[in-house]
Amino acid sequence: MPDENTKRAVAPAVILFGSPGSGKGTQARLLGQCVNGPHISTGDMLRAHIEAGDEIGHDSQGLLKAGKLVPDSMVNELVRRRLAQPDCQDGVILDGYPRTIHQARFLLDLIGGCHLRPAVVHLVVDYEKIVARLSGRRQCPVCGTLYSETTNPPKVAGICDLDGAKLVTREDDSEPVIRQRLTEYDALTRPLLSFFRESGVPTLEMEGAGAPPEEISRRICGELATRGVVVESSAAHVAGPMAGVRS
Ligand code: ADP
């Protein structure tokens, strides 16, 4: 039965939520097919600052390397500035933000003053699969596309399908750092699920494993359309069977 979130005006702030390695980055890129707006990854933004060698990069580098979260004030400010850009007017896909209760409150306050409506997509993946997934993860340094040696390999080993760049392993994708990131997630980020529910933010629980990324994306787009978070027409060409969707 339709609820108050169904069929409303559409300018979604889709929050991709889940542990490190649950596929947020991959799904954020694929969801561009049904969510009209940029992919905003605080992890990618921080890595760009590190690459640029500026003050934010300098202050965050050690924390990323250790698998610890950077201070809320730093990421909140990055997101505040990014959401003020004109390309965020029709919607946004947030990947890796918010990650703490302070960030979540900040975000809801920030978008409460504009027309963006939050919706959470929680990608659920067993932790045993996560370490294996992240250890075999490779990323294109040019376009950011993610690959997995086992589940989603590039056509030519070590080379990006899209631009031919040599794939790299992220510095924080080593086993001890992966475990630290999972610890941070459990302590600081996972509790946000109840905060979102209490705040009335629609939350979808989606299996983040057991199907190809494109199929998982189709399911997410279909469910977002059913909930009225995105318009039916923008999801129609990617929406497939709803099997595996839990909400
Ligand atoms: P993953 O979700 O796989 O850990 P990300 O690229 O989202 O990858 O994040 C990498 C690192 O960047 C995190 O371990 C953390 O150090 C930092 N980071 C990214 N987003 C945030 C955030 N919202 N708050 C604090 N730290 C963040």
Side-chain angles (χ1 to χ4, degrees):
M1 184 163 142
D3 59 21
E4 61 179 310
N5 298 312
T6 306
K7 311 290 178 220
R8 68 182 164 202
V10 180
V14 174
I15 299 167
L16 281 168
F17 192 90
S19 68
S22 56
K24 300 185 298 292
T26 299
Q27 287 305 322
R29 287 179 179 83
L30 293 169
L31 280 184
Q33 295 173 96
C34 72
V35 178
N36 204 1
H39 165 205
I40 298 175
S41 156
T42 42
D44 286 350
M45 287 164 106
L46 290 165
R47 282 184 288 276
H49 282 282
I50 292 169
E51 186 74 22
D54 62 16
E55 195 181 336
I56 294 175
H58 180 262
D59 292 349
S60 58
Q61 186 163 24
L63 292 164
L64 263 82
K65 209 170 167 180
K68 302 204 161 154
L69 296 188
V70 308
D72 292 331
S73 54
M74 188 185 285
V75 279
N76 284 344
E77 182 55 18
L78 287 177
V79 170
R80 190 187 64 73
R81 277 194 248 146
R82 184 65 187 87
L83 291 184
Q85 300 296 311
D87 64 336
C88 297
Q89 279 190 355
D90 294 335
V92 291
I93 302 166
L94 293 167
D95 160 13
Y97 180 91
R99 258 171 146 111
T100 67
I101 194 86
H102 294 293
Q103 293 178 24
R105 289 210 173 99
F106 180 87
L107 176 70
L108 294 192
D109 281 353
L110 188 67
I111 63 177
C114 64
H115 61 295
L116 290 172
R117 295 284 173 274
V120 173
V121 175
H122 177 203
L123 294 170
V124 182
V125 180
D126 284 349
Y127 276 17
E128 305 91 77
K129 291 192 181 131
I130 296 282
V131 177
R133 236 191 207 192
L134 287 180
S135 311
R137 181 161 79 169
R138 303 288 178 268
Q139 186 165 29
C140 173
V142 177
C143 68
T145 300
L146 293 159
Y147 298 89
S148 155
E149 277 182 344
T150 47
T151 55
N152 181 31
K155 292 187 184 110
V156 179
I159 302 294
C160 179
D161 292 347
L162 303 182
D163 52 36
K166 197 166 183 286
L167 303 178
V168 296
T169 303
R170 253 170 57 176
E171 210 176 7
D172 57 349
D173 280 347
S174 68
E175 190 166 337
V177 182
I178 293 166
R179 296 209 179 275
Q180 176 61 37
R181 284 157 62 201
L182 290 171
T183 302
E184 296 273 290
Y185 175 77
D186 272 337
L188 299 168
T189 307
R190 184 193 284 277
L192 291 189
L193 285 170
S194 32
F195 169 80
F196 287 130
R197 291 209 172 92
E198 283 156 20
S199 305
V201 177
T203 300
L204 319 182
E205 296 269 319
M206 309 293 297
E207 291 292 348
E214 293 76 12
E215 174 58 23
I216 293 172
S217 174
R218 269 193 290 277
R219 293 171 184 170
I220 295 172
C221 286
E223 186 71 359
L224 288 173
T226 302
R227 300 289 192 100
V229 175
V230 300
V231 282
E232 300 275 350
S233 59
S234 61
H237 66 292
V238 289
M242 301 304 293
V245 172
R246 297 188 286 140
S247 61

